[in-house]
PDB file of all heavy atoms in Angstrom:
ATOM      1  N   ALA A   8      51.827 -55.454  69.526  1.00 98.00           N
ATOM      2  CA  ALA A   8      51.944 -54.084  70.076  1.00 98.00           C
ATOM      3  C   ALA A   8      53.110 -53.340  69.462  1.00 98.00           C
ATOM      4  O   ALA A   8      53.039 -52.130  69.211  1.00 98.00           O
ATOM      5  CB  ALA A   8      52.069 -54.153  71.579  1.00 98.00           C
ATOM      6  N   GLU A   9      54.207 -54.018  69.186  1.00 97.00           N
ATOM      7  CA  GLU A   9      55.363 -53.391  68.559  1.00 97.00           C
ATOM      8  C   GLU A   9      54.987 -52.872  67.166  1.00 97.00           C
ATOM      9  O   GLU A   9      55.383 -51.778  66.750  1.00 97.00           O
ATOM     10  CB  GLU A   9      56.518 -54.372  68.448  1.00 97.00           C
ATOM     11  CG  GLU A   9      57.218 -54.688  69.764  1.00 97.00           C
ATOM     12  CD  GLU A   9      58.342 -55.670  69.569  1.00 97.00           C
ATOM     13  OE1 GLU A   9      58.747 -55.889  68.432  1.00 97.00           O
ATOM     14  OE2 GLU A   9      58.801 -56.233  70.591  1.00 97.00           O
ATOM     15  N   LEU A  10      54.253 -53.656  66.386  1.00 98.00           N
ATOM     16  CA  LEU A  10      53.808 -53.251  65.058  1.00 98.00           C
ATOM     17  C   LEU A  10      52.888 -52.054  65.141  1.00 98.00           C
ATOM     18  O   LEU A  10      53.036 -51.109  64.355  1.00 98.00           O
ATOM     19  CB  LEU A  10      53.138 -54.397  64.336  1.00 98.00           C
ATOM     20  CG  LEU A  10      54.026 -55.520  63.845  1.00 98.00           C
ATOM     21  CD1 LEU A  10      53.231 -56.742  63.429  1.00 98.00           C
ATOM     22  CD2 LEU A  10      54.883 -55.047  62.645  1.00 98.00           C
ATOM     23  N   ARG A  11      51.965 -52.037  66.088  1.00 97.00           N
ATOM     24  CA  ARG A  11      51.059 -50.899  66.243  1.00 97.00           C
ATOM     25  C   ARG A  11      51.841 -49.624  66.585  1.00 97.00           C
ATOM     26  O   ARG A  11      51.585 -48.536  66.063  1.00 97.00           O
ATOM     27  CB  ARG A  11      50.018 -51.183  67.318  1.00 97.00           C
ATOM     28  CG  ARG A  11      49.004 -52.258  66.965  1.00 97.00           C
ATOM     29  CD  ARG A  11      47.775 -52.187  67.865  1.00 97.00           C
ATOM     30  NE  ARG A  11      48.093 -52.245  69.301  1.00 97.00           N
ATOM     31  CZ  ARG A  11      48.197 -53.379  70.001  1.00 97.00           C
ATOM     32  NH1 ARG A  11      48.037 -54.552  69.362  1.00 97.00           N
ATOM     33  NH2 ARG A  11      48.427 -53.359  71.279  1.00 97.00           N
ATOM     34  N   ALA A  12      52.819 -49.764  67.504  1.00 97.00           N
ATOM     35  CA  ALA A  12      53.565 -48.612  67.912  1.00 97.00           C
ATOM     36  C   ALA A  12      54.425 -48.071  66.745  1.00 97.00           C
ATOM     37  O   ALA A  12      54.575 -46.839  66.594  1.00 97.00           O
ATOM     38  CB  ALA A  12      54.454 -48.965  69.101  1.00 97.00           C
ATOM     39  N   ALA A  13      54.966 -48.977  65.978  1.00 96.00           N
ATOM     40  CA  ALA A  13      55.771 -48.568  64.822  1.00 96.00           C
ATOM     41  C   ALA A  13      54.938 -47.790  63.812  1.00 96.00           C
ATOM     42  O   ALA A  13      55.352 -46.749  63.288  1.00 96.00           O
ATOM     43  CB  ALA A  13      56.431 -49.762  64.162  1.00 96.00           C
ATOM     44  N   GLU A  14      53.716 -48.298  63.537  1.00 95.00           N
ATOM     45  CA  GLU A  14      52.837 -47.617  62.601  1.00 95.00           C
ATOM     46  C   GLU A  14      52.433 -46.244  63.121  1.00 95.00           C
ATOM     47  O   GLU A  14      52.465 -45.249  62.414  1.00 95.00           O
ATOM     48  CB  GLU A  14      51.600 -48.448  62.293  1.00 95.00           C
ATOM     49  CG  GLU A  14      50.671 -47.821  61.269  1.00 95.00           C
ATOM     50  CD  GLU A  14      49.553 -48.745  60.859  1.00 95.00           C
ATOM     51  OE1 GLU A  14      49.303 -49.754  61.557  1.00 95.00           O
ATOM     52  OE2 GLU A  14      48.889 -48.429  59.860  1.00 95.00           O
ATOM     53  N   ALA A  15      52.066 -46.184  64.390  1.00 94.00           N
ATOM     54  CA  ALA A  15      51.624 -44.932  64.983  1.00 94.00           C
ATOM     55  C   ALA A  15      52.757 -43.893  65.033  1.00 94.00           C
ATOM     56  O   ALA A  15      52.523 -42.687  64.864  1.00 94.00           O
ATOM     57  CB  ALA A  15      51.087 -45.158  66.376  1.00 94.00           C
ATOM     58  N   GLY A  16      53.991 -44.380  65.196  1.00 93.00           N
ATOM     59  CA  GLY A  16      55.117 -43.475  65.339  1.00 93.00           C
ATOM     60  C   GLY A  16      55.850 -43.205  64.040  1.00 93.00           C
ATOM     61  O   GLY A  16      56.853 -42.460  64.033  1.00 93.00           O
ATOM     62  N   GLY A  17      55.416 -43.792  62.936  1.00 92.00           N
ATOM     63  CA  GLY A  17      56.062 -43.580  61.643  1.00 92.00           C
ATOM     64  C   GLY A  17      57.497 -44.066  61.659  1.00 92.00           C
ATOM     65  O   GLY A  17      58.371 -43.414  61.102  1.00 92.00           O
ATOM     66  N   ARG A  18      57.743 -45.209  62.281  1.00 94.00           N
ATOM     67  CA  ARG A  18      59.080 -45.728  62.339  1.00 94.00           C
ATOM     68  C   ARG A  18      59.055 -47.231  62.003  1.00 94.00           C
ATOM     69  O   ARG A  18      57.992 -47.793  61.755  1.00 94.00           O
ATOM     70  CB  ARG A  18      59.680 -45.521  63.743  1.00 94.00           C
ATOM     71  CG  ARG A  18      58.884 -46.171  64.860  1.00 94.00           C
ATOM     72  CD  ARG A  18      59.487 -45.913  66.219  1.00 94.00           C
ATOM     73  NE  ARG A  18      58.703 -46.453  67.291  1.00 94.00           N
ATOM     74  CZ  ARG A  18      58.715 -47.720  67.673  1.00 94.00           C
ATOM     75  NH1 ARG A  18      59.498 -48.605  67.033  1.00 94.00           N
ATOM     76  NH2 ARG A  18      57.958 -48.174  68.656  1.00 94.00           N
ATOM     77  N   THR A  19      60.235 -47.864  61.960  1.00 96.00           N
ATOM     78  CA  THR A  19      60.310 -49.256  61.612  1.00 96.00           C
ATOM     79  C   THR A  19      60.937 -50.031  62.746  1.00 96.00           C
ATOM     80  O   THR A  19      61.532 -49.504  63.672  1.00 96.00           O
ATOM     81  CB  THR A  19      61.139 -49.446  60.346  1.00 96.00           C
ATOM     82  OG1 THR A  19      62.452 -48.891  60.561  1.00 96.00           O
ATOM     83  CG2 THR A  19      60.496 -48.741  59.156  1.00 96.00           C
ATOM     84  N   ILE A  20      60.744 -51.364  62.652  1.00 97.00           N
ATOM     85  CA  ILE A  20      61.301 -52.283  63.645  1.00 97.00           C
ATOM     86  C   ILE A  20      62.116 -53.348  62.909  1.00 97.00           C
ATOM     87  O   ILE A  20      62.026 -53.513  61.711  1.00 97.00           O
ATOM     88  CB  ILE A  20      60.226 -52.918  64.537  1.00 97.00           C
ATOM     89  CG1 ILE A  20      59.238 -53.725  63.685  1.00 97.00           C
ATOM     90  CG2 ILE A  20      59.511 -51.830  65.345  1.00 97.00           C
ATOM     91  CD1 ILE A  20      58.170 -54.442  64.515  1.00 97.00           C
ATOM     92  N   ALA A  21      62.848 -54.142  63.653  1.00 97.00           N
ATOM     93  CA  ALA A  21      63.628 -55.239  63.105  1.00 97.00           C
ATOM     94  C   ALA A  21      62.717 -56.315  62.561  1.00 97.00           C
ATOM     95  O   ALA A  21      61.572 -56.465  63.037  1.00 97.00           O
ATOM     96  CB  ALA A  21      64.579 -55.784  64.134  1.00 97.00           C
ATOM     97  N   PRO A  22      63.203 -57.125  61.624  1.00 96.00           N
ATOM     98  CA  PRO A  22      62.386 -58.256  61.145  1.00 96.00           C
ATOM     99  C   PRO A  22      61.903 -59.144  62.298  1.00 96.00           C
ATOM    100  O   PRO A  22      62.537 -59.264  63.327  1.00 96.00           O
ATOM    101  CB  PRO A  22      63.352 -59.009  60.222  1.00 96.00           C
ATOM    102  CG  PRO A  22      64.313 -57.951  59.765  1.00 96.00           C
ATOM    103  CD  PRO A  22      64.479 -57.031  60.893  1.00 96.00           C
ATOM    104  N   LEU A  23      60.742 -59.757  62.056  1.00 96.00           N
ATOM    105  CA  LEU A  23      60.094 -60.572  63.064  1.00 96.00           C
ATOM    106  C   LEU A  23      60.360 -62.047  62.933  1.00 96.00           C
ATOM    107  O   LEU A  23      59.962 -62.824  63.786  1.00 96.00           O
ATOM    108  CB  LEU A  23      58.542 -60.340  62.992  1.00 96.00           C
ATOM    109  CG  LEU A  23      58.113 -58.860  63.141  1.00 96.00           C
ATOM    110  CD1 LEU A  23      56.620 -58.764  62.805  1.00 96.00           C
ATOM    111  CD2 LEU A  23      58.386 -58.383  64.542  1.00 96.00           C
ATOM    112  N   ARG A  24      61.005 -62.455  61.839  1.00 92.00           N
ATOM    113  CA  ARG A  24      61.065 -63.906  61.544  1.00 92.00           C
ATOM    114  C   ARG A  24      61.836 -64.718  62.538  1.00 92.00           C
ATOM    115  O   ARG A  24      61.663 -65.926  62.608  1.00 92.00           O
ATOM    116  CB  ARG A  24      61.590 -64.114  60.137  1.00 92.00           C
ATOM    117  CG  ARG A  24      62.905 -63.406  59.819  1.00 92.00           C
ATOM    118  CD  ARG A  24      63.214 -63.559  58.323  1.00 92.00           C
ATOM    119  NE  ARG A  24      64.377 -62.818  57.910  1.00 92.00           N
ATOM    120  CZ  ARG A  24      64.330 -61.546  57.510  1.00 92.00           C
ATOM    121  NH1 ARG A  24      63.173 -60.936  57.454  1.00 92.00           N
ATOM    122  NH2 ARG A  24      65.440 -60.926  57.129  1.00 92.00           N
TER     123      ARG A  24
END
Side-chain angles (χ1 to χ4, degrees):
E9 288 180 14
L10 286 167
R11 292 198 303 272
E14 183 173 14
R18 58 181 177 81
T19 58
I20 60 176
L23 303 170
R24 52 187 174 271

